[in-house]
Amino acid sequence: MQSPRPAPVSATAAHGLPKDSWDCMLPGPPSRNNFGSADLSSSGLLAFAAGSSISVVDSRSMQLVSTVPMPPPTSAANASSSSSLSPFVTSVRWTPLTLRRDLLSTETSSSHLLLAAGDRQGRIALLDLRLRTPVLWFESDPPRIGIQDLCWVQSRPDSYLLAAISGQSFLSLYSTSTGRCVWKYDAGNEFLSCLRRDPFDARHFCVIGLKGFLLSVKVLGETENDVVLKELQIPTDCTELLKLERDASNGGASSSSSSSSSPASSAFPLYMVKFAFSPQWRHILFVTFPRELVVFDLQYETALFSASLPRGGKFLDVLPDPNNELLYCCHLDGKLSTWRRKEGEQAHVMCSMDELMPSIGTSVPSPSVLAAIICQSDSTLQNVGKLYSDVPDSPFPDVDFDSPFDFYDEPLLVSKTHLMSISDDGKLWNWLLSAEGVEDTRKEDRATVVSEVLVQGVNSNEIVSSVGGGRSSRPNSTINQANISFKISLVGQLQLLSSQVTMLAVPSPSLTATLARGGNYPAVAVPLVALGTQSGTIDVIDVSANAVAASFSVHGGTVRGLRWLGNSRVVSFSYTQVNEKSGGFINKLVVTCLRSGLNRPFRVLQKPERAPIRALRTSSSGRYLLILFRDAPVEVWAMTKNPIMLRSLALPFTVLEWTLPTVPRPVQNGPAKQSPFSSIDRASATPDGVSSLRNAPSTDSKTSDGSQDETSESFAFALVNGALGVFEVQGRRIRDFRPKWPSSSFVSSDGLITAMAYRLPHVVMGDRSGNIRWWDVTTGHSSSFNTHREGIRRIKFSPVVPGDHSRGRIAVLFYDNTFSVFDLDSPDPLANSVLTPQFPGTLVLELDWLPLRIDKNDPLVLCIAGADSSFRLLEVNVIDKKLGFAPQLRPAKERFRPMPLCSPILLPTPHALALRMILQLGVRPSWFNTCSTTLEKRPHIIPGTPSSGEDLRNHMINLPPVGDPVVPELLLKVLEPYRREGCILDDERAKLYAKVVNKGCAVRFAFAAAVFGESSEALFWLQLSRALNHLMKKLVNKPPQKASVSTASPEIDDTAILSRISSKGKSEPGTEKKDTSGQGSLSSMAFEQEELWANASERIPWHEKLEGEDAIQNRVHELVTVGNLEAAVSLLLSTSPESEYFYVNALRAVALASAVSSSLLELAVKVVAANMVRTDRSLSGTHLLCAVGRYQEACSQLQDAGCWTDAATLAATHLKGSDYARVLQRWADHVLHAEHNLWRALLLYVAAGALGEALAALREAQQPDTAAMFILACREVHSEIISDIGHSDDDKLLKLPGLDPENEDVIAVCEYYGHYQRKLVHLCMDSQPFSD
């Protein structure tokens, strides 16, 4: 796909802006110089750094979307060309901003497709994926030190700062609107390694160093004074790092000074320290040091668990599963270990070890894994499927239940997670990680890891066992946790360029080149380019798809020469030196058939040769091959099925070039012979090059210009003494062509000829002094000029077609790796040339023209192999007989793709918003059926077939109850081109939508949000019905069941209490076991009393073994909030009398004991002596308030102290009704205005009954569509609740507070939504459809 471009607004662009149909690029392979930088957006777009470029891949279809090169430093414009190269990209991060919906107040933008990128020179840019160019450069200090990592941090509801680690120890915060640095921090001697944002609070992020230094930073605004930080230390063994530092310092003063300013990944590339926030538990970090996995609690500021890596490996990264309590750890040696949390504690055990680099099909030594990343985008859709599908395993709708091959006795699938890995051979791997269990129906009380998602009905709690995959479990079945097996499967792969590019070859077959499988039809020009690489592979690029069509492992070393034989075979060579003393060489020549993939060596000798091969030259028919040696005769070979050497030429050649195919004459009387360019259809240029062969006529004995016999071909040459000549090869005979020689002054003695190009009748030469000479072999006319540049390495004639004004355009590659384009037919070639002293950002290693022109108006396209290992196509346009790179307005060339690219986030913003609205309002699943080849092969998947002649409104499931009823039809008409191409949704997501579309509007809203990567909004819609159900229970005076909390009996034995105190034990509350597996991010949206209480109770056992007074204070606080006062008293009374906290703890113990029983109070009084000397933290007051039953005041005090979750937990334990609602509403205000988390705040407002405040928050956030959808969803859920409750006579229940139809705010929202719809229709009509 082309990079998405903004749609034109001017009427002149009738055909749409050019998509730069030939302006495509393939990146070279990523390396350790890119620091393993990769980021996966919430909408499924993977961005990763490769060399000096950033590539974007659709993670679902594994197709390359676009490659954005990082521009070179502008300050080096006047410096040497080598200093103006683009440096390595070292960090990439997608913006967390989502699709902007405030159409009525601002212009549409692509702010959701912004990408922050940093490089080795310390530059940070904000790139727009649509424009493929930076839209903002961040300021950087003069000493340019590399960027280690980047992270977006929320500073206001609508804006973010960018945090960056630069050099060894600098942490900076930049404004993303101005690019200025607003805050800077120096960590001194620490090597900062990794930045991550807190998933529970977007204002908070952490930084870790190689030695365990941990920095916790919270951003409260956009000024220097709004940054709050805390420095922590994770204990770890740094022996290996200290040794590496000593080795670096002993390497010399220069290396030590450079390492002091180098980022951690540059100074110590194989010493990785990474961390990740837990997606399930707040304050929990998972940290990997090279040989140690640590679980760290930010609240307790201590490590809860650590484990060493067995078998001497090293960790590369840690990746928490978004839906299950599993950790995936990637290792430097390419392995992947899976860790599962032990029940009841924050400790992990390793369950499996797998390979991310298969031993089959990979080179030796095996490529390295540079990065791995978890696909978060699938987890939200899995939650949609689990909660609302009829079939429990709908989150994984890739199993056909009608198929006889899906057997019932397959293992139960517990979880599925996609993981992407990137290796340094240019491959992207898509792995499916699955956990399977053995069903056990005998013991229903056994521990289960089936993800039981609580679906709150109206008057019942329905448990749905969501196991996904092969089949659903029976109601009473469980899974034996000990028997869970973890499997890894490769489900997708994308091959990009495999190594450093060394050679480039394009096919330009003449009419005498026949097809490889025989017959007299001429070979057609194919849209393929062959690239030889340093690793010995040959990558074949399909330029019509901008993809690697095939990759062949041919040589054991560098490919040093590569040429096409016709259009389906290539010949290549490499050589190895036997030893330096004898100087012998082993030359390896191989013919590779692209159709069969067979490599056939020829000219195999038993002994080493004295001279290595220096070049290959193949005739345009593919019949003849010239092998040039270094200081040895040239060999002429006939490239038959078994190549035959015809003869050797013992002349001191410097350059040799075969003639290119001649230009066909325009058609005059009757059909004339077609050129190889016109014999291929423009729209059907396929990699195998066999399209339109029926139209290619048979050949006769003359070429189109009748100048020579068809079976003879000629090559021009230059000798060391400057002499020129042309030889003709016919069969086995080689004879002098006897051209008409130019004047004697033409041959210059001041420069050795280093490059040549030959197309009848012109021979063009370039020498090492920068002179270009050309000569007409039929007339003897000649001319020359000086380029005033360094020596000339390559000269390439541009392809010509009938009607061209000029036949003398050439591309010239100089020895300084720059190039120019000249027109030799112009009076002054130098004045009319396109001088490109620097191809932007990289040096040019090889170039050639793409021979696919069929019309004189087609652009000239250059294929370029860059020094950064990239492959690029550059368009050269002819405007007013002058050459230039300016784009022309013309129909864009369609990009061929093997399957549709279903990524709605890439559509033009109005069209993306239109699709979002259609998915929200509800469209029939039959609408997703297409006539394209992808879905046509499996018409049984989605019921229904589309009929083009019917009213488009029939595709909607019903008329929308809000807004303009005509708008959906107009939007469907706008989206019809995408639907026809199958580019709306892929099969899996379309099947899931078909299952949930009739389950209510809230789940459709959740699905639409998940498709566009808005996971927080999707979680809000999934939990909305539960929040309203919670509210209605309060209104109907049916308080929810309180979780079972142990209450002490009136009389407690003193001996038992004392024994518990002495052993530092605690009494366990009688709790129901909480199973969070599979819930993932849903648990972060907890608001119900049972959930809050259960989450808090789950954390208590994690800290039992922690020592120290601070840990005891935190543990007491946790026990009090969950109502376990007895255990809190026991813990307080265990305080040593020498402790400074003794008297404070004693007073609290007495007060809390009085609330439990008289016997416990007496025991506490006996232990406690004297009185309290000084006060403890502010939390002590809340404990005393709890002791006397003033829970409302205690909650207020906790909220004033910033302990919002603790206050909610305490309220969930002790408060009901309006008292609990007040705590929730105040919490919602804080979450909205301080934490800027709109969706979490909305859920709390709904649970608290403040629906008006929720609506006001949506209006303030300028989301008119979501505000209207919120009213729809609330009314629908409310009506279902009322119908089930049956209290039809209660006016208090019939109306939702704050959402009455007569409410002015509700009326305003509905009217505003109508305006929004009409504005969207106008924008959609003005935007051109996005064609790939």
Side-chain angles (χ1 to χ4, degrees):
M1 175 193 278
Q2 292 329 98
S3 61
R5 301 289 174 116
V9 293
S10 62
T12 58
H15 298 291
L17 280 183
K19 305 293 183 189
D20 284 351
S21 57
W22 293 115
D23 185 14
C24 69
M25 173 178 174
L26 279 176
S31 67
R32 296 213 184 273
N33 290 317
N34 295 115
F35 296 176
S37 53
D39 192 30
L40 188 61
S41 73
S42 57
S43 54
L45 294 178
L46 174 66
F48 67 95
S52 58
S53 306
I54 300 156
S55 295
V56 178
V57 172
D58 176 36
S59 63
R60 300 186 74 89
S61 64
M62 296 299 288
Q63 297 185 83
L64 182 67
V65 174
S66 181
T67 300
V68 184
M70 195 79 160
T74 53
S75 60
N78 299 324
S80 64
S81 60
S82 61
S83 64
S84 59
L85 300 181
S86 294
F88 287 104
V89 177
T90 56
S91 184
V92 291
R93 281 288 177 267
W94 285 106
T95 174
L97 294 171
T98 55
L99 271 172
R100 296 195 63 171
R101 271 108 73 187
D102 48 345
L103 300 181
L104 297 173
S105 57
T106 61
E107 293 294 325
T108 57
S109 70
S110 55
S111 59
H112 55 287
L113 292 176
L114 292 179
L115 193 64
D119 64 21
R120 283 293 292 272
Q121 290 194 9
R123 303 181 307 155
I124 305 175
L126 209 56
L127 302 165
D128 189 320
L129 182 61
R130 287 203 201 282
L131 302 176
R132 297 207 316 167
T133 185
V135 294
L136 178 68
W137 287 98
F138 294 84
E139 66 179 15
S140 57
D141 296 330
R144 301 211 160 182
I145 49 181
I147 302 299
Q148 170 72 19
D149 204 0
L150 297 172
C151 178
W152 295 75
V153 189
Q154 193 163 17
S155 57
R156 290 203 307 257
D158 58 345
S159 67
Y160 282 78
L161 298 178
L162 189 68
I165 298 175
S166 54
Q168 170 186 327
S169 59
F170 291 105
L171 174 67
S172 307
L173 287 174
Y174 297 91
S175 167
T176 53
S177 57
T178 64
R180 293 181 178 176
C181 180
V182 298
W183 179 81
K184 198 159 191 175
Y185 172 86
D186 186 358
N189 294 324
E190 299 289 341
F191 280 90
L192 301 183
S193 171
C194 182
L195 268 174
R196 294 291 183 268
R197 185 175 68 247
D198 191 342
F200 291 89
D201 187 352
R203 305 169 301 160
H204 176 234
F205 68 97
C206 285
V207 191
I208 199 167
L210 296 184
K211 301 175 184 177
F213 173 74
L214 182 67
L215 194 65
S216 174
V217 186
K218 182 171 284 190
V219 178
L220 305 178
E222 295 196 344
T223 65
E224 190 173 359
N225 299 325
D226 294 328
V227 181
V228 180
L229 68 150
K230 182 185 291 185
E231 297 178 355
L232 305 168
Q233 183 70 37
I234 303 177
T236 185
D237 183 9
C238 300
T239 308
E240 182 182 354
L241 180 62
L242 295 175
K243 182 179 182 298
L244 292 173
E245 284 190 86
R246 284 196 303 271
D247 294 343
S249 61
N250 294 336
S254 60
S255 64
S256 62
S257 62
S258 63
S259 64
S260 64
S261 60
S262 297
S265 295
S266 174
F268 311 107
L270 298 180
Y271 194 94
M272 307 280 189
V273 176
K274 297 289 182 69
F275 79 97
F277 281 91
S278 168
Q280 279 92 11
W281 300 103
R282 196 163 187 151
H283 307 306
I284 296 297
L285 300 182
F286 304 117
V287 186
T288 50
F289 296 99
R291 303 184 191 278
E292 187 180 21
L293 169 66
V294 177
V295 181
F296 190 82
D297 192 320
L298 281 174
Q299 186 180 20
Y300 277 72
E301 301 178 5
T302 187
L304 302 179
F305 165 79
S306 66
S308 298
L309 182 62
R311 294 191 289 275
K314 283 187 177 182
F315 283 117
L316 175 68
D317 205 350
V318 56
L319 309 166
D321 191 299
N323 269 358
N324 302 278
E325 298 218 42
L326 299 171
L327 288 180
Y328 305 106
C329 293
C330 186
H331 302 219
L332 267 178
D333 57 1
K335 291 185 170 61
L336 181 78
S337 57
T338 303
W339 302 68
R340 184 180 63 217
R341 184 171 79 89
K342 289 182 180 178
E343 189 176 341
E345 54 183 318
Q346 193 55 264
H348 291 72
V349 291
M350 189 166 68
C351 307
S352 67
M353 182 79 80
D354 299 287
E355 292 278 354
L356 286 180
M357 192 57 61
S359 56
I360 300 176
T362 56
S363 59
V364 178
S366 180
S368 299
V369 175
L370 300 177
I373 192 164
I374 288 284
C375 292
Q376 306 278 351
S377 56
D378 292 337
S379 64
T380 312
L381 283 172
Q382 289 182 17
N383 283 322
V384 173
K386 287 175 182 176
L387 289 176
Y388 285 94
S389 292
D390 292 327
V391 193
D393 40 2
S394 62
F396 318 109
D398 52 354
V399 179
D400 186 0
F401 294 102
D402 298 327
S403 170
F405 299 103
D406 292 329
F407 298 109
Y408 183 74
D409 54 352
E410 289 180 351
L412 285 173
L413 206 52
V414 178
S415 71
K416 273 189 175 182
T417 304
H418 282 271
L419 179 140
M420 308 279 295
S421 64
I422 302 172
S423 53
D424 61 1
D425 59 347
K427 288 189 176 72
L428 273 72
W429 312 71
N430 186 1
W431 302 95
L432 180 63
L433 311 176
S434 56
E436 295 179 351
V438 178
E439 191 174 17
D440 184 3
T441 58
R442 293 170 298 178
K443 294 184 179 180
E444 297 180 10
D445 56 344
R446 183 174 295 183
T448 174
V449 293
V450 182
S451 59
E452 295 183 348
V453 181
L454 185 64
V455 181
Q456 293 283 354
V458 178
N459 50 12
S460 65
N461 291 339
E462 179 186 359
I463 300 293
V464 177
S465 255
S466 302
V467 293
R471 59 192 175 90
S472 59
S473 63
R474 290 184 285 274
N476 295 329
S477 64
T478 63
I479 290 180
N480 189 343
Q481 186 169 350
N483 293 331
I484 287 185
S485 62
F486 296 90
K487 295 183 179 179
I488 180 170
S489 309
L490 182 63
V491 294
Q493 189 185 71
L494 175 63
Q495 170 73 66
L496 299 175
L497 299 185
S498 56
S499 180
Q500 173 81 36
V501 176
T502 56
M503 296 303 298
L504 180 149
V506 298
S508 54
S510 68
L511 292 178
T512 57
T514 56
L515 292 175
R517 56 176 176 266
N520 292 322
Y521 291 118
V524 296
V526 290
L528 301 178
V529 178
L531 300 177
T533 67
Q534 210 167 44
S535 63
T537 60
I538 295 176
D539 293 334
V540 180
I541 311 301
D542 180 357
V543 295
S544 65
N546 192 28
V548 178
S551 186
F552 303 98
S553 182
V554 181
H555 297 274
T558 302
V559 178
R560 301 180 183 272
L562 182 65
R563 283 291 185 271
W564 284 82
L565 297 170
N567 66 0
S568 62
R569 296 187 302 160
V570 292
V571 58
S572 59
F573 83 89
S574 65
Y575 63 78
T576 54
Q577 190 169 2
V578 178
N579 57 61
E580 296 182 0
K581 292 183 179 179
S582 62
F585 294 88
I586 298 177
N587 293 308
K588 183 179 180 182
L589 282 153
V590 181
V591 174
T592 303
C593 176
L594 303 188
R595 299 181 187 278
S596 65
L598 293 177
N599 296 317
R600 188 187 294 270
F602 69 101
R603 198 185 174 277
V604 181
L605 303 181
Q606 302 298 323
K607 295 182 179 180
E609 299 179 78
R610 180 178 58 84
I613 300 176
R614 66 180 175 97
L616 300 177
R617 295 292 183 264
T618 55
S619 66
S620 54
S621 70
R623 296 181 179 184
Y624 302 108
L625 169 69
L626 298 176
I627 305 176
L628 285 72
F629 292 86
R630 193 183 301 162
D631 303 325
V634 170
E635 295 181 1
V636 185
W637 286 70
M639 298 307 293
T640 56
K641 184 176 182 181
N642 295 308
I644 305 168
M645 190 177 91
L646 301 180
R647 60 174 298 179
S648 64
L649 303 173
L651 291 173
F653 295 105
T654 58
V655 288
L656 287 165
E657 291 293 342
W658 290 93
T659 179
L660 290 172
T662 51
V663 188
R665 288 179 178 173
V667 176
Q668 294 175 350
N669 299 324
K673 192 183 304 293
Q674 288 184 334
S675 76
F677 315 115
S678 59
S679 65
I680 182 166
D681 186 81
R682 176 188 180 93
S684 58
T686 54
D688 59 7
V690 297
S691 59
S692 304
L693 288 181
R694 295 177 215 164
N695 301 329
S698 59
T699 60
D700 55 23
S701 62
K702 295 288 183 182
T703 58
S704 54
D705 60 358
S707 60
Q708 64 182 54
D709 188 271
E710 172 174 76
T711 57
S712 67
E713 294 180 88
S714 59
F715 63 88
F717 61 85
L719 303 181
V720 174
N721 61 2
L724 307 175
V726 178
F727 282 169
E728 188 177 69
V729 182
Q730 185 172 14
R732 290 176 174 266
R733 292 177 299 165
I734 300 178
R735 59 188 177 87
D736 194 342
F737 182 66
R738 295 192 183 89
K740 186 154 187 177
W741 298 103
S743 62
S744 59
S745 62
F746 179 74
V747 178
S748 173
S749 60
D750 59 350
L752 185 71
I753 293 177
T754 54
M756 178 180 284
Y758 179 25
R759 179 171 60 207
L760 282 173
H762 295 103
V763 176
V764 184
M765 292 148 291
D767 61 28
R768 61 185 177 188
S769 301
N771 298 305
I772 291 180
R773 299 176 176 81
W774 67 100
W775 153 49
D776 189 320
V777 297
T778 57
T779 65
H781 295 158
S782 62
S783 184
S784 66
F785 69 95
N786 193 298
T787 61
H788 307 290
R789 306 280 291 282
E790 292 187 26
I792 295 170
R793 192 151 66 95
R794 295 275 187 274
I795 299 176
K796 298 291 182 179
F797 268 114
S798 69
V800 290
V801 294
D804 266 341
H805 296 293
S806 170
R807 294 173 58 177
R809 298 190 195 97
I810 56 172
V812 178
L813 178 63
F814 299 96
Y815 272 110
D816 63 355
N817 295 104
T818 61
F819 73 94
S820 298
V821 179
F822 301 97
D823 187 351
L824 302 182
D825 285 353
S826 63
D828 188 352
L830 195 62
N832 294 328
S833 67
V834 178
L835 292 174
T836 57
Q838 176 61 55
F839 186 67
T842 186
L843 298 176
V844 178
L845 290 183
E846 292 287 344
L847 59 74
D848 206 340
W849 297 95
L850 192 67
L852 291 180
R853 295 180 72 221
I854 60 172
D855 186 82
K856 65 178 182 179
N857 295 320
D858 287 348
L860 295 165
V861 180
L862 269 176
C863 305
I864 293 175
D868 61 349
S869 300
S870 65
F871 169 75
R872 314 182 191 209
L873 294 182
L874 185 67
E875 194 174 297
V876 182
N877 294 305
V878 182
I879 304 173
D880 295 331
K881 298 185 181 180
K882 292 185 179 181
L883 296 167
F885 293 106
Q888 289 178 311
L889 294 178
R890 65 173 179 279
K893 186 182 185 302
E894 185 179 2
R895 172 66 49 79
F896 170 79
R897 285 197 179 276
M899 61 186 296
L901 186 68
C902 300
S903 186
I905 199 72
L906 293 174
L907 301 182
T909 302
H911 296 174
L913 290 172
L915 176 59
R916 195 177 190 276
M917 185 176 292
I918 290 298
L919 293 176
Q920 286 178 329
L921 297 178
V923 64
R924 298 185 189 280
S926 59
W927 182 69
F928 294 111
N929 279 350
T930 70
C931 300
S932 64
T933 57
T934 304
L935 296 180
E936 190 178 39
K937 296 176 182 176
R938 294 182 288 170
H940 65 280
I941 290 182
I942 301 175
T945 54
S947 55
S948 56
E950 63 180 347
D951 189 350
L952 288 176
R953 284 176 295 184
N954 294 332
H955 287 301
M956 305 302 293
I957 58 174
N958 48 42
L959 288 178
V962 64
D964 193 333
V966 182
V967 166
E969 180 183 7
L970 298 174
L971 297 184
L972 287 174
K973 191 176 297 183
V974 168
L975 295 172
E976 183 62 20
Y978 306 113
R979 189 198 72 84
R980 205 164 44 238
E981 294 296 325
C983 294
I984 299 288
L985 292 179
D986 56 90
D987 293 356
E988 184 178 347
R989 288 185 290 185
K991 286 166 64 179
L992 178 57
Y993 187 79
K995 292 179 180 179
V996 303
V997 65
N998 293 314
K999 302 293 183 182
C1001 58
V1003 66
R1004 293 200 302 271
F1005 303 162
F1007 181 89
V1011 163
F1012 285 93
E1014 300 169 22
S1015 54
S1016 295
E1017 180 184 348
L1019 293 175
F1020 162 73
W1021 293 119
L1022 291 178
Q1023 295 282 62
L1024 178 62
S1025 61
R1026 298 181 60 191
L1028 282 171
N1029 188 33
H1030 173 86
L1031 170 63
M1032 296 305 295
K1033 282 181 180 179
K1034 184 184 72 174
L1035 294 178
V1036 90
N1037 295 323
K1038 288 184 180 179
Q1041 288 184 341
K1042 192 179 186 313
S1044 55
V1045 182
S1046 67
T1047 55
S1049 57
E1051 297 296 331
I1052 296 181
D1053 182 38
D1054 288 357
T1055 308
I1057 292 290
L1058 287 172
S1059 65
R1060 279 202 294 269
I1061 293 171
S1062 61
S1063 64
K1064 294 189 179 183
K1066 78 177 186 66
S1067 62
E1068 288 285 349
T1071 65
E1072 296 178 3
K1073 182 167 62 98
K1074 179 179 182 294
D1075 183 10
T1076 60
S1077 63
Q1079 292 193 35
S1081 302
L1082 283 174
S1083 61
S1084 68
M1085 289 281 190
F1087 61 89
E1088 289 195 329
Q1089 291 167 293
E1090 293 88 346
E1091 284 183 291
L1092 289 167
W1093 188 87
N1095 284 341
S1097 299
E1098 179 79 12
R1099 302 178 73 103
I1100 290 177
W1102 303 352
H1103 311 127
E1104 287 179 348
K1105 298 179 181 179
L1106 296 181
E1107 302 291 341
E1109 294 298 340
D1110 290 338
I1112 288 178
Q1113 302 306 311
N1114 282 324
R1115 288 178 57 198
V1116 169
H1117 181 59
E1118 285 182 333
L1119 291 168
V1120 172
T1121 55
V1122 299
N1124 194 350
L1125 302 184
E1126 180 185 347
V1129 170
S1130 301
L1131 192 57
L1132 288 168
L1133 290 178
S1134 67
T1135 306
S1136 169
E1138 290 79 19
S1139 170
E1140 63 182 28
Y1141 292 101
F1142 174 70
Y1143 295 108
V1144 180
N1145 292 352
L1147 177 60
R1148 285 189 292 169
V1150 171
L1152 292 172
S1154 66
V1156 178
S1157 68
S1158 58
S1159 59
L1160 184 60
L1161 176 60
E1162 291 174 7
L1163 178 64
V1165 171
K1166 293 177 186 178
V1167 176
V1168 175
N1171 54 14
M1172 184 165 53
V1173 178
R1174 51 193 171 87
T1175 59
D1176 188 12
R1177 297 186 305 173
S1178 61
L1179 300 181
S1180 301
T1182 65
H1183 304 160
L1184 298 177
L1185 289 171
C1186 291
V1188 296
R1190 306 299 295 269
Y1191 299 110
Q1192 186 77 50
E1193 291 87 342
C1195 290
S1196 299
Q1197 196 174 62
L1198 281 173
Q1199 289 181 330
D1200 292 339
C1203 303
W1204 296 94
T1205 308
D1206 295 336
T1209 304
L1210 184 64
T1213 306
H1214 296 288
L1215 300 180
K1216 300 177 183 177
S1218 58
D1219 291 338
Y1220 182 60
R1222 277 196 292 272
V1223 176
L1224 286 186
Q1225 185 165 346
R1226 191 179 176 198
W1227 189 15
D1229 292 336
H1230 166 78
V1231 170
L1232 178 63
H1233 298 113
E1235 296 184 5
H1236 316 305
N1237 191 336
L1238 172 66
W1239 306 107
R1240 180 84 174 100
L1242 289 178
L1243 204 63
L1244 293 173
Y1245 277 134
V1246 173
L1251 300 180
E1253 284 78 359
L1255 190 62
L1258 281 171
R1259 297 181 67 188
E1260 186 180 353
Q1262 295 186 327
Q1263 300 208 16
D1265 58 332
T1266 311
M1269 298 300 106
F1270 173 71
I1271 295 173
L1272 275 186
C1274 287
R1275 287 177 178 170
E1276 182 180 274
V1277 175
H1278 175 253
S1279 64
E1280 293 175 359
I1281 294 174
I1282 292 299
S1283 63
D1284 286 347
I1285 291 178
H1287 288 257
S1288 57
D1289 54 344
D1290 192 344
D1291 292 338
K1292 181 175 67 172
L1293 299 178
L1294 290 177
K1295 291 184 179 180
L1296 273 174
L1299 294 185
D1300 297 340
E1302 299 82 12
N1303 188 304
E1304 292 182 0
D1305 292 336
V1306 173
I1307 296 173
V1309 164
C1310 295
E1311 291 178 353
Y1312 197 69
Y1313 180 64
H1315 294 313
Y1316 168 83
Q1317 284 186 311
R1318 288 185 283 276
K1319 174 73 171 179
L1320 178 59
V1321 169
H1322 287 305
L1323 290 173
C1324 287
M1325 296 300 183
D1326 292 339
S1327 297
Q1328 293 293 329
F1330 171 69
S1331 73
D1332 185 12

